[in-house]
């Protein structure tokens, strides 16, 4: 069914693609009203969007005439959904600050509709930690983030920051409209590293940032799932509509996961669980003279293996981060741990893997291998959740057939 969509267009060369986006949305029976920032009008004229949307275009917050015709509160009420495409670094920063210094940002502050941003900017601007922090803040407040894509940019440089193609944006919009197989399902996701204490100030840990697990949790929540994120220490803000349970050690993660499994439909093990812990942790800070040159270690429980052995078994998906022989190791873990699927990626390269904002992965299941090319972890998480949703949908259909 057609919806009332408010399309915000901010400044960027990708604004020309949004003209095609409006056309496609109207073809799918949506009513589209366009609001442009001042910078956007340097790239495409309001008249173009008026012609393609069939409605006057909102440009000014303080313009008496346009305010009388359709003020920012009416536009905020009109919108069942707000999509900002392209979303420039500037508009993302202003939204993250809660500013309302133009029509688009005022509407976003006044609306109760879900908002999605589709970033488009130079790759260095996208990777800038300030932009990343602004994007994370918006996600925390429930904004969806679609893209960006990687490719050659308008400036001639290559990187992550291209706006998604209109077709991909429409897919995101239509997916959010339909009830996915994940709707109201419980998904438990582990993320981040674990810390294994040697004493109250020292620990053994690893380089996991938690970004992939948190992005999966956000994407799963946006697909309508009830998400429980069990996370080791990270520097990340918890995604909106996700229940975060913070733990430190692998043993705590194991115990917390096992408490949740009886109610769990899908388990995703994205955590980099420490395989071993110091056999004894000193109750007080040890001086260096008290450490022996050998460390006695005890194996931690294999959490995902225990989940896969649970009855009834949730759909169980693991990760394998490998520096070499990725396929070989991934297939071995898939089989040994009794997983339904494993998502494998190479780590130890200059980019991708731990602490990076981008990743490329291969997913192995009984259906064979699917490749997910290099993209932002946010976008990758949406694609992986889409795959998981389809796979889960097929599995549950099969089990209903078997019962029948
Ligand atoms: N995993 C887990 N519990 C552990 C170790 C790993 O749940 N104690 C999960 C991870 O979350 C991931 C998958 O198992 O989904 C693979 O993790 P990895 O560390 O690559 O596997 P290991 O069994 O530790 O294999 P190895 O150290 O031999 O590479």
């Amino acid at each position: 069914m057609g919806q009332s969509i408010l399309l915000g267009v901010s400044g960027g060369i990708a604004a020309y693609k949004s003209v095609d986006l409006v056309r496609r949305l109207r073809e799918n029976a949506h009513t589209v009203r366009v609001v442009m920032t001042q910078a956007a009008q340097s790239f495409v004229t309001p008249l173009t969007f008026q012609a393609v949307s069939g409605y006057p275009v909102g440009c000014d917050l303080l313009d008496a005439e346009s305010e009388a015709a359709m003020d920012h509160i009416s536009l905020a009420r009109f919108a069942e959904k707000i999509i900002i495409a392209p979303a420039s670094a500037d508009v993302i920063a202003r939204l993250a600050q809660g500013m309302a210094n133009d029509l688009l940002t005022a509407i976003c502050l006044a609306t109760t509709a879900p908002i999605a941003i589709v970033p488009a900017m130079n790759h260095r601007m996208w990777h800038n930690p300030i932009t990343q922090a602004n994007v994370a803040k918006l996600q925390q407040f429930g904004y969806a983030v679609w893209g960006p894509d990687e490719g050659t940019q308008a400036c001639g440089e290559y990187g992550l920051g291209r706006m998604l193609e209109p077709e991909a944006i429409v897919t995101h919009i239509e997916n959010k409209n339909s009830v996915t197989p994940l709707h109201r399902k419980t998904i438990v996701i582990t993320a981040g590293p674990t810390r294994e204490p040697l004493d109250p100030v020292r620990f053994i840990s690893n380089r996991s940032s938690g970004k992939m697990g948190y992005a999966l949790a956000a994407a799963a929540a946006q697909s309508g799932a009830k998400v429980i994120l069990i996370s080791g220490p990270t520097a990340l803000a918890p995604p909106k509509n996700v229940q975060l349970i913070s733990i430190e050690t692998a043993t705590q993660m194991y115990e917390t996961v096992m408490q949740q499994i009886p109610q769990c439909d899908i388990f995703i093990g994205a955590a980099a669980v420490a395989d071993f812990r110091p056999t004894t942790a000193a109750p007080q800070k040890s001086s260096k003279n008290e450490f022996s040159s050998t460390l006695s270690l005890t194996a931690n429980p294999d959490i995902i293996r225990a989940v896969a052995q649970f009855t009834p078994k949730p759909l169980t998906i693991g990760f394998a981060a490998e520096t070499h022989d990725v396929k070989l190791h991934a297939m071995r873990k898939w089989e040994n741990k009794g997983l339904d699927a494993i998502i494998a990626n190479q780590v130890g390269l200059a980019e991708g893997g731990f602490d990076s904002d981008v990743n490329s992965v291969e997913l192995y299941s009984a259906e064979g291998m699917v490749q997910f090319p290099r993209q932002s972890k946010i976008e990758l998480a949406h694609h992986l959740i889409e795959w998981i949703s389809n796979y889960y949908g097929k599995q549950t259909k099969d089990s209903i057939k078997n019962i029948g």
Side-chain angles (χ1 to χ4, degrees):
M1 205 181 66
Q3 288 199 313
S4 301
I5 296 178
L6 189 132
L7 175 70
V9 182
S10 65
I13 184 64
Y16 80 91
K17 290 188 189 173
S18 300
V19 177
D20 183 40
L21 175 61
V22 175
R23 184 187 63 76
R24 285 168 186 268
L25 290 173
R26 289 195 69 192
E27 272 175 14
N28 287 7
H30 299 298
T31 304
V32 186
R33 303 271 331 228
V34 179
V35 171
M36 302 178 79
T37 65
Q38 200 178 356
Q41 296 165 51
S42 303
F43 293 92
V44 181
T45 67
L47 204 59
T48 307
F49 279 111
Q50 179 172 325
V52 74
S53 70
Y55 287 99
V57 172
C59 294
D60 296 305
L61 180 60
L62 303 174
D63 175 73
E65 219 168 272
S66 53
E67 276 286 286
M70 191 73 166
D71 63 28
H72 63 282
I73 300 298
S74 319
L75 280 168
R77 280 199 204 116
F78 153 85
E80 287 176 77
K81 204 165 256 159
I82 297 181
I83 315 294
I84 305 179
S88 63
D90 175 73
V91 89
I92 290 172
R94 289 191 288 120
L95 289 168
Q97 290 307 311
M99 288 174 72
N101 58 340
D102 65 4
L103 184 59
L104 179 57
T105 48
I107 290 169
C108 290
L109 217 50
T111 192
T112 52
I115 306 176
I117 57 168
V118 192
M121 66 194 75
N122 169 272
H123 64 106
R124 272 188 281 266
M125 292 171 81
W126 170 253
H127 287 301
N128 189 304
I130 301 175
T131 304
Q132 287 300 312
N134 288 335
V135 170
K137 191 168 172 191
L138 290 180
Q139 275 185 310
Q140 197 193 343
F141 285 116
Y143 281 58
V145 182
W146 300 339
D149 257 347
E150 189 181 53
T152 306
Q153 303 205 285
C155 55
E157 294 180 4
Y158 186 91
L160 200 66
R162 276 170 65 98
M163 187 172 91
L164 294 188
E165 292 301 325
E167 199 183 350
I169 300 173
V170 172
T171 306
H172 272 291
I173 293 170
E174 304 303 351
N175 273 351
K176 299 295 162 295
N177 285 344
S178 59
V179 175
T180 75
L182 301 187
H183 189 68
R184 299 225 173 127
K185 297 295 164 202
T186 300
I187 305 190
V188 175
I189 300 177
T190 62
T194 63
R195 282 183 183 172
E196 311 301 324
L198 283 153
D199 67 23
V201 297
R202 301 183 181 89
F203 54 81
I204 299 173
S205 192
N206 58 63
R207 294 162 72 97
S208 168
S209 65
K211 284 179 186 167
M212 196 66 240
Y214 277 57
L216 284 166
Q222 282 168 32
S223 295
K226 175 175 179 260
V227 183
I228 300 165
L229 177 63
I230 300 171
S231 173
T234 73
L236 306 172
K240 198 175 170 209
N241 297 330
V242 166
Q243 183 191 345
L244 174 71
I245 306 178
S246 299
I247 52 83
E248 279 221 7
T249 66
T251 310
Q252 288 165 356
M253 185 176 270
Y254 172 79
E255 282 164 3
T256 314
V257 165
M258 287 334 247
Q259 276 167 14
Q260 301 298 334
I261 290 308
Q263 301 82 258
C264 167
D265 299 295
I266 300 172
F267 177 83
I268 307 175
V273 186
D275 292 316
F276 297 96
R277 63 178 180 276
T279 304
T280 49
Q284 288 177 318
K285 184 185 168 190
S286 313
S287 97
K288 61 178 174 293
N289 303 328
E290 290 170 283
F291 281 108
S292 79
S293 58
T294 52
L295 202 55
S296 167
L297 297 172
T298 301
N300 276 326
D302 190 323
I303 300 169
I304 207 163
R305 188 197 291 265
V307 170
Q309 284 169 359
F310 199 85
T311 319
K313 178 191 170 193
L315 186 79
T316 309
I317 297 159
F319 271 80
E322 311 291 342
T323 55
H324 60 285
D325 295 331
V326 179
K327 182 176 176 186
L328 192 79
H329 287 124
M331 298 296 281
R332 183 174 52 80
K333 286 175 192 178
W334 175 51
E335 209 176 327
N336 287 349
K337 292 178 190 249
L339 308 181
D340 293 288
I342 191 154
I343 300 161
N345 70 308
Q346 188 155 9
V347 289
L349 302 172
E351 218 191 25
F354 290 140
D355 208 29
S356 171
D357 294 324
V358 293
N359 209 357
S360 61
V361 300
E362 286 169 0
L363 184 151
Y364 299 89
S365 74
E367 291 185 348
M369 192 268 276
V370 186
Q371 216 151 18
F372 294 84
R374 228 171 81 101
Q375 54 198 303
S376 71
K377 283 185 176 170
I378 295 168
E379 192 59 17
L380 178 61
H382 281 286
H383 286 132
L384 290 172
I385 290 295
E386 207 177 305
W387 186 93
I388 293 168
S389 176
N390 288 335
Y391 192 81
Y392 180 74
K394 280 187 255 170
Q395 301 286 309
T396 41
K397 242 188 237 145
D398 284 352
S399 63
I400 290 167
K401 254 191 254 152
N402 291 340
I403 293 166

